[in-house]
Amino acid sequence: MLHLEKILIIDFGSQYTQLIARRIREIKVYSEIHSHTYPIEKIIEEKPSGIILSGGPMSVYDPDSPQIDKRIFELGIPILGICYGLQLIALNFGGSVEPASHREYGKTELKLLEHSSLFKDISEISSVWMSHGDFVEKMPSGFTISAKSDNSPICAISNIEKNIFGVQFHPEVIHSIEGKRILANFVFNICGSKGDWTSQNFVEKEIEEIREKVGNKKAICALSGGVDSSVAAILMHQAIGDKLICIHVDSGMMRKDESAKIKKMFKENFSLNIIHINAAELFLDRLKGIEEPEQKRKIIGKTFIDIFEVEAKKIPDAEFLVQGTLYPDVIESVSVKGQSVTIKTHHNVGGLPEKMNLKLIEPFRELFKDEVREIGKELKLPIDFINRHPFPGPGLAVRILGDITFERLEILRDADEIFITELYESGVYDEIWQAFCVLLPVKSVGVMGDSRTYENVLALRAVTSTDGMTADWYRFDYSILERTSNKIIRKVKGINRVVYDISSKPPATIEWE
């Protein structure tokens, strides 16, 4: 078994937890996120270089608040507690936590009281990001105060002998100006990490683990043709060869000529065993009259699984289902007490039957889109394919607001092709994280020639982002929007008005549904 140094992140439900993982990986150290219920025996077995306790939305003194096995503090592994994590440390070492008289949220000045190894080369006064309603009122035994803020007299603590540290602020958030350096101090100076994790390391580790897990059985890969499932398919193929059977399901929710392009790309570049299934009629039938977004996603997820289970029965020894699920998919779908609230269900992580006959393999479940792209490059996928914008698993179904019909899908397909083609021709495609069209359940009056029209409204959406967790709307040159609008209204029958979405995430999501 290939062992990589790692930082273990214990999650108590903070929406920022995935950012901790990102920041650690940005400095070339592998990190994994696990629930606060992760067994202590597993932690001992994995031998992490360090442990980070995340923030969380609850108060540590709530009766049902997430707790941690106290033995974690006796393992001799360096620990850093962030926000809720700091407060847990305080409670476990005899300190006390109380509700703050003034909730601290946003940018705050951190004032250093000592230069511990955690704050090596950090300014005496540094801008940090706070998000808490409680504070440490009584110091835990054996700790010293390292920093304070105006509203938090105990803003950072340290126990040098035990190598346990805690901060009330969030160093993982970009608004903490020296936050990345603080995390680097913990990872390198305190944990002794080397910083040699690369996409090549990940590929080697995953291939070994996949081979061990699959054994002599076979795996089915849900190959949508998107970046995530395609990279997953190539990774699986390198691991188990002909024991991988890829199934591409044309749900009828694909972009224009998408299935044909997928066939061509894999035929010309890779020798994958691919079964193509046209299930457009089945998906449309099950979605008939369904307008609620969550229902759409769950119906589509279940339909995909139904198809895969039918196909699996035709394949002797098929025991596993491979999906290209990413961490942002998981974090947006989580709905656990004391964890993040559900924003929307992703078909990769929602809608699965309770007794699914196939076991899941999700090699990228803890990765972000940019990391998967790096792995795609490592696996020699064509660069223009790797750089394609993300496309949701439910496809165009979540870009048609309201009832889904074949006619509305065709309208959206034609409009979307015009928009994306214009982005390529204008040279801005690679500046944008994701761009697409949304067909609205709204009609408006227009005029074409001398005739009155009453047709559909189409919204254009384009955002910039690094990981899809936050996003800002793209500032187009007006001439691009003008050309796109004119072409769509002129060429796509059924649309007479085009609008542009200038919402950022948050508060909006990238997709409309």
Side-chain angles (χ1 to χ4, degrees):
M1 173 66 73
L2 177 66
H3 289 283
L4 299 175
E5 63 176 9
K6 75 172 74 166
I7 299 295
L8 193 64
I9 300 165
I10 304 297
D11 182 26
F12 294 93
S14 171
Q15 291 283 0
Y16 297 144
T17 301
Q18 76 282 357
L19 287 179
I20 304 173
R22 281 202 63 79
R23 299 295 172 254
I24 303 301
R25 291 179 194 176
E26 283 169 4
I27 54 178
K28 303 298 182 188
V29 176
Y30 182 64
S31 59
E32 282 184 358
I33 299 168
H34 290 286
S35 165
H36 63 92
T37 58
Y38 198 57
I40 190 80
E41 292 76 18
K42 286 277 189 184
I43 295 174
I44 294 169
E45 184 184 315
E46 290 189 26
K47 300 177 182 174
S49 305
I51 297 170
I52 296 178
L53 310 180
S54 84
M58 301 184 78
S59 295
V60 289
Y61 47 76
D62 285 350
D64 54 354
S65 61
Q67 297 297 316
I68 196 158
D69 191 320
K70 293 181 180 180
R71 290 176 292 171
I72 198 170
F73 300 113
E74 303 303 323
L75 298 179
I77 299 170
I79 293 174
L80 171 64
I82 295 174
C83 196
Y84 186 94
L86 159 74
Q87 294 163 15
L88 268 181
I89 291 169
L91 277 187
N92 279 281
F93 284 89
S96 65
V97 177
E98 302 291 340
S101 53
H102 295 95
R103 189 174 190 276
E104 207 169 9
Y105 184 83
K107 287 185 180 179
T108 302
E109 278 194 348
L110 178 76
K111 297 166 186 175
L112 291 190
L113 300 177
E114 65 173 19
H115 278 89
S116 68
S117 48
L118 186 66
F119 294 110
K120 185 176 184 294
D121 298 326
I122 301 300
S123 309
E124 297 287 338
I125 296 177
S126 187
S127 182
V128 297
W129 185 262
M130 293 284 198
S131 179
H132 66 104
D134 302 327
F135 73 108
V136 177
E137 192 270 337
K138 177 189 169 190
M139 276 290 288
S141 176
F143 286 76
T144 58
I145 304 175
S146 302
K148 67 177 183 177
S149 72
D150 288 342
N151 291 314
S152 295
I154 303 174
C155 196
I157 60 173
S158 61
N159 183 322
I160 304 302
E161 184 185 342
K162 288 184 174 290
N163 256 350
I164 299 175
F165 303 81
V167 295
Q168 186 59 72
F169 58 92
H170 288 272
E172 70 274 22
V173 175
I174 197 168
H175 305 297
S176 292
I177 304 303
E178 296 178 280
K180 193 170 179 179
R181 184 177 297 170
I182 292 169
L183 289 173
N185 282 340
F186 176 71
V187 170
F188 296 122
N189 299 344
I190 297 169
C191 300
S193 298
K194 299 182 185 68
D196 55 6
W197 182 67
T198 63
S199 55
Q200 183 181 354
N201 294 146
F202 178 87
V203 168
E204 289 172 2
K205 175 176 175 285
E206 281 300 310
I207 285 176
E208 191 169 330
E209 289 183 358
I210 289 164
R211 282 175 182 158
E212 189 177 308
K213 187 172 187 177
V214 175
N216 293 321
K217 301 297 182 181
K218 290 180 181 175
I220 294 171
C221 180
L223 183 62
S224 70
V227 174
D228 310 327
S229 67
S230 298
V231 177
I234 303 306
L235 178 68
M236 289 295 299
H237 188 252
Q238 287 205 8
I240 62 173
D242 292 341
K243 287 182 286 186
L244 175 71
I245 295 93
C246 295
I247 298 178
H248 171 67
V249 177
D250 184 352
S251 63
M253 312 293 150
M254 309 287 283
R255 290 170 288 200
K256 197 172 183 71
D257 301 326
E258 184 85 357
S259 285
K261 290 174 185 173
I262 291 166
K263 287 181 190 178
K264 186 172 186 289
M265 199 283 284
F266 282 105
K267 187 176 180 181
E268 290 180 357
N269 295 278
F270 302 98
S271 55
L272 295 185
N273 182 3
I274 304 177
I275 298 170
H276 296 271
I277 297 169
N278 188 338
E281 198 172 318
L282 175 62
F283 278 88
L284 273 172
D285 185 58
R286 290 190 178 184
L287 289 167
K288 190 175 182 180
I290 303 297
E291 297 188 3
E292 207 279 317
E294 276 295 284
Q295 258 190 296
K296 285 182 187 177
R297 287 178 173 271
K298 287 180 178 176
I299 287 169
I300 289 166
K302 185 175 186 312
T303 305
F304 271 116
I305 295 300
D306 288 348
I307 291 168
F308 293 132
E309 290 209 308
V310 168
E311 292 303 315
K313 287 174 184 175
K314 302 175 187 176
I315 303 167
D317 296 326
E319 200 167 291
F320 299 92
L321 172 65
V322 183
Q323 291 190 149
T325 310
L326 300 189
Y327 190 73
D329 300 340
V330 176
I331 202 69
E332 287 192 340
S333 300
V334 169
S335 182
V336 181
K337 190 176 190 180
Q339 302 290 321
S340 314
V341 296
T342 299
I343 296 168
K344 60 189 176 188
T345 300
H346 289 260
H347 90 287
N348 280 354
V349 286
L352 300 182
E354 286 182 16
K355 293 184 179 178
M356 189 178 70
N357 294 326
L358 298 169
K359 299 169 189 171
L360 275 179
I361 293 180
E362 297 172 307
F364 307 143
R365 189 179 175 87
E366 299 293 340
L367 297 189
F368 298 89
K369 177 70 75 173
D370 56 320
E371 293 174 321
V372 173
R373 285 192 170 124
E374 285 303 311
I375 291 162
K377 291 174 188 173
E378 183 73 29
L379 295 172
K380 311 300 183 192
L381 266 80
I383 197 70
D384 57 339
F385 184 82
I386 290 170
N387 290 334
R388 293 173 76 203
H389 293 174
F391 187 64
L396 300 181
V398 291
R399 294 177 180 176
I400 292 178
L401 276 56
D403 194 18
I404 299 168
T405 65
F406 177 77
E407 291 73 25
R408 298 188 80 204
L409 282 163
E410 287 294 283
I411 288 171
L412 183 56
R413 265 191 273 270
D414 289 342
D416 192 74
E417 185 183 41
I418 290 169
F419 184 30
I420 300 304
T421 300
E422 179 61 41
L423 299 185
Y424 276 116
E425 291 177 352
S426 300
V428 299
Y429 183 87
D430 289 335
E431 296 176 16
I432 297 168
W433 164 265
Q434 193 172 11
F436 53 90
C437 300
V438 182
L439 190 61
L440 307 184
V442 174
K443 290 191 173 184
S444 72
V445 174
V447 58
M448 289 189 183
D450 294 324
S451 302
R452 174 187 183 275
T453 62
Y454 188 58
E455 293 178 334
N456 295 283
V457 178
L458 183 87
L460 305 179
R461 180 77 159 140
V463 298
T464 56
S465 181
T466 55
D467 53 26
M469 296 306 298
T470 60
D472 195 14
W473 58 280
Y474 181 73
R475 273 66 171 174
F476 275 111
D477 183 296
Y478 290 152
S479 63
I480 297 174
L481 288 175
E482 181 183 18
R483 282 195 301 273
T484 302
S485 176
N486 287 342
K487 286 177 183 177
I488 289 172
I489 292 171
R490 211 168 51 238
K491 295 182 178 181
V492 182
K493 189 176 180 183
I495 295 173
N496 69 356
R497 190 177 301 271
V498 175
V499 298
Y500 184 49
D501 179 356
I502 59 168
S503 310
S504 296
K505 176 186 180 180
T509 52
I510 296 176
E511 297 285 348
W512 280 41
E513 289 194 343

